[in-house]
Amino acid sequence: VNVSNSKPCRNYNDGQMFLDMKLENKLNENDCIAFDGGYYYYIKKSIDNCDRKGNDKINLNNFMFPIRKSKNIDLNDNELLYNETFGSFRSKIESYLKIYNVQIKLSLLLLNIQKFCQLYNIPNKPNHLLWVNENFDYPNPNRNNNINSIIYEFDILRITDMTNQQDAFI
């Protein structure tokens, strides 16, 4: 994960801050970044920057974004469904990050409790240490691992190409 320095929003928009991250030599041909619609006009510039820095394997397949509406032309039902599904996908990712943040905070709390118990010779019970096991996973009743169950006709070739490329890499 790379971040740029924070800049005042009145002088910089998200797209410019994305370009200022200078990901040209950090992106790999197997990376795929999902954007909201605001970044659409900055993707071409990012690809051009990658080319100039010798990273010529980065192309439009490395970026996913909603379908943009043309002036005076409404999106058709499939385009609307694609955008809705894409937005839902991004929301799921954000919810996983929220869960991760809670998990890391809980882990740090438990680690501090463990240190406190050691410091004051408070005995541990076996269930108190389950969270330190390598295969431990926090229970999540809302977990849905079927993110890619629906694929629409739009960008199917790009999605398939990127998936095949990532599978080959793995």
Side-chain angles (χ1 to χ4, degrees):
V1 175
N2 295 285
V3 295
S4 60
N5 293 329
S6 295
K7 296 183 180 178
C9 292
R10 70 177 186 270
N11 299 331
Y12 295 89
N13 60 35
D14 290 345
Q16 187 57 51
M17 285 192 262
F18 162 65
L19 292 175
D20 289 348
M21 290 172 69
K22 301 197 182 310
L23 297 177
E24 293 85 14
N25 291 322
K26 296 177 178 95
L27 285 177
N28 179 286
E29 64 186 298
N30 298 304
D31 291 334
C32 187
I33 301 173
F35 287 112
D36 64 22
Y39 292 88
Y40 177 79
Y41 295 106
Y42 295 88
I43 293 171
K44 174 84 169 87
K45 175 81 171 155
S46 178
I47 293 170
D48 292 344
N49 289 346
C50 288
D51 282 342
R52 267 196 305 284
K53 294 288 184 172
N55 191 357
D56 60 350
K57 296 191 187 270
I58 303 303
N59 57 52
L60 198 57
N61 290 345
N62 297 98
F63 304 94
M64 295 300 298
F65 43 85
I67 297 170
R68 296 189 62 88
K69 179 186 173 304
S70 299
K71 190 174 183 176
N72 298 325
I73 300 174
D74 290 335
L75 296 177
N76 65 38
D77 290 342
N78 287 337
E79 291 169 328
L80 288 170
L81 185 57
Y82 174 86
N83 282 353
E84 183 180 311
T85 304
F86 182 75
S88 172
F89 169 73
R90 287 189 70 242
S91 294
K92 283 182 183 178
I93 291 172
E94 290 169 4
S95 70
Y96 283 120
L97 291 176
K98 287 177 189 172
I99 291 169
Y100 173 78
N101 284 335
V102 169
Q103 290 175 346
I104 192 74
K105 288 175 183 177
L106 181 58
S107 296
L108 293 172
L109 173 66
L110 292 171
L111 185 61
N112 285 333
I113 290 171
Q114 182 183 35
K115 288 180 181 181
F116 179 84
C117 289
Q118 289 171 349
L119 184 63
Y120 293 101
N121 295 320
I122 299 170
N124 284 322
K125 295 184 177 173
N127 63 323
H128 293 166
L129 297 175
L130 289 176
W131 66 278
V132 299
N133 292 326
E134 185 174 327
N135 293 326
F136 178 79
D137 192 14
Y138 291 89
N140 179 3
N142 299 322
R143 182 174 287 139
N144 179 1
N145 293 327
N146 200 10
I147 291 174
N148 296 320
S149 63
I150 303 172
I151 298 178
Y152 298 96
E153 61 184 278
F154 296 98
D155 294 329
I156 193 162
L157 184 59
R158 288 189 330 119
I159 292 169
T160 303
D161 286 348
M162 180 52 70
T163 303
N164 290 341
Q165 183 176 326
Q166 290 172 341
D167 287 344
F169 176 76
I170 290 171

